[in-house]
Amino acid sequence: MDWSDGDYERTAVDIEPAAAALVEFAGVAAGHHVLDVGAGTGNATLAAASAGARVTGIDPAEGLIEIARDRVAMLDADITFLEGTAERLPVSDDVADVTLSAFGIIFSADPPAAIGEMCRTTRPAGTVAFTTWRPTGAVNDAAEVLLDHVPARDDPPRWGDDTWLESLLADAGLERIAIVDRRLRIRSDSPAGFFALLESDHPVWRAIRRSVSESEWDEIRAKSVAALEAGNEDQSAFLATSVYALVRGTVPV
């Protein structure tokens, strides 16, 4: 999937507070070298740089990297962007004090490989941290409608499951694993308006729309808007509270 497709920048604005929370949770400090895996438009990159870190942002989507470069162009910060995938990071071993990913590696086709790469690139006693969504809330319910039209995997990743997460990190050798829930409030003018933005701008919704018939998409739209309406917390507009997890582990010495 091409994450440059559409206008992911709109979604990135909604989830930017989670990137700041991740940087704080990971313990990023002045003088650290931070890798931002799946950097996208640069939310976590900017937050880490604001904490005084030297940052390398990595993403497979050239279009998103260009947006991120534009965002940091006027800053007096040590920031570099590279093209690369989570499963094969284009950097050497043990180069980072902190390697993090704000809603990036959760889209990896090979989660153990992605976590393994984050560990490989982080020095001993360094930190690996990322965010993942919990399966709750109106936006999640709308996403579930969409994912019903994606071919099922034999052993799908369970990013919202603490037991699975702890096993994933422990198998990679990480220690002192911590998982903390946070909440993110997402707003729009209406449930239908929010879905309209998803189908026009979000790469995932756009990709699946191209894979189904127009009548199937009409059904997805109707069910998705109904799910958003059912979970709407502000009947005069649209407000949904999404729950996400901050996940952290330490590379052994």
Side-chain angles (χ1 to χ4, degrees):
M1 189 177 67
D2 180 8
W3 283 88
S4 299
D5 181 34
D7 186 3
Y8 186 70
E9 195 171 4
R10 288 177 180 263
T11 297
V13 171
D14 286 337
I15 62 177
E16 189 166 12
L22 175 63
V23 167
E24 180 180 2
F25 182 72
V28 174
H32 279 167
H33 180 201
V34 174
L35 296 185
D36 180 11
V37 180
T41 61
N43 283 347
T45 297
L46 286 164
S50 295
R54 173 170 59 96
V55 191
T56 302
I58 301 170
D59 199 279
E62 181 180 358
L64 297 187
I65 288 178
E66 288 305 312
I67 292 171
R69 285 190 176 123
D70 288 343
R71 292 181 71 190
V72 307
M74 303 303 292
L75 299 180
D76 182 17
D78 191 349
I79 299 173
T80 302
F81 290 102
L82 302 173
E83 286 188 51
T85 66
E87 300 82 12
R88 193 171 182 177
L89 298 174
V91 294
S92 302
D93 297 355
D94 303 339
V95 296
D97 299 288
V98 178
T99 301
L100 49 78
S101 182
F103 303 116
I105 64 164
I106 61 173
F107 293 99
S108 171
D110 189 345
I115 290 292
E117 278 291 270
M118 293 179 77
C119 293
R120 176 187 68 79
T121 57
T122 308
R123 63 167 177 78
T127 299
V128 169
F130 60 90
T131 53
T132 182
W133 295 111
R134 295 298 201 186
T136 183
V139 177
N140 173 79
D141 294 344
E144 290 293 338
V145 172
L146 189 76
L147 294 177
D148 283 343
H149 293 262
V150 176
R153 294 170 59 172
D154 292 335
D155 186 20
R158 301 191 301 277
W159 292 104
D161 181 331
D162 282 5
T163 301
W164 185 87
L165 287 170
E166 289 170 354
S167 177
L168 178 69
L169 271 61
D171 288 348
L174 291 168
E175 302 173 342
R176 297 166 58 191
I177 295 166
I179 304 174
V180 176
D181 280 359
R182 295 284 177 84
R183 284 167 170 74
L184 186 69
R185 306 186 88 187
I186 297 173
R187 297 180 180 274
S188 189
D189 60 345
S190 68
F194 182 71
F195 184 80
L197 291 174
L198 290 176
E199 67 178 342
S200 67
D201 296 339
H202 198 291
V204 174
W205 271 258
R206 288 170 62 89
I208 295 178
R209 183 175 188 176
R210 288 192 293 269
S211 72
V212 301
S213 68
E214 199 59 37
S215 61
E216 287 177 303
W217 188 254
D218 288 342
E219 181 182 358
I220 289 171
R221 181 188 293 113
K223 289 182 177 179
S224 299
V225 172
L228 294 169
E229 289 174 343
N232 186 14
E233 300 166 37
D234 180 356
Q235 298 308 308
S236 66
F238 175 69
L239 170 64
T241 301
S242 293
V243 181
Y244 67 96
L246 296 162
V247 185
R248 180 182 67 211
T250 301
V251 176
V253 176

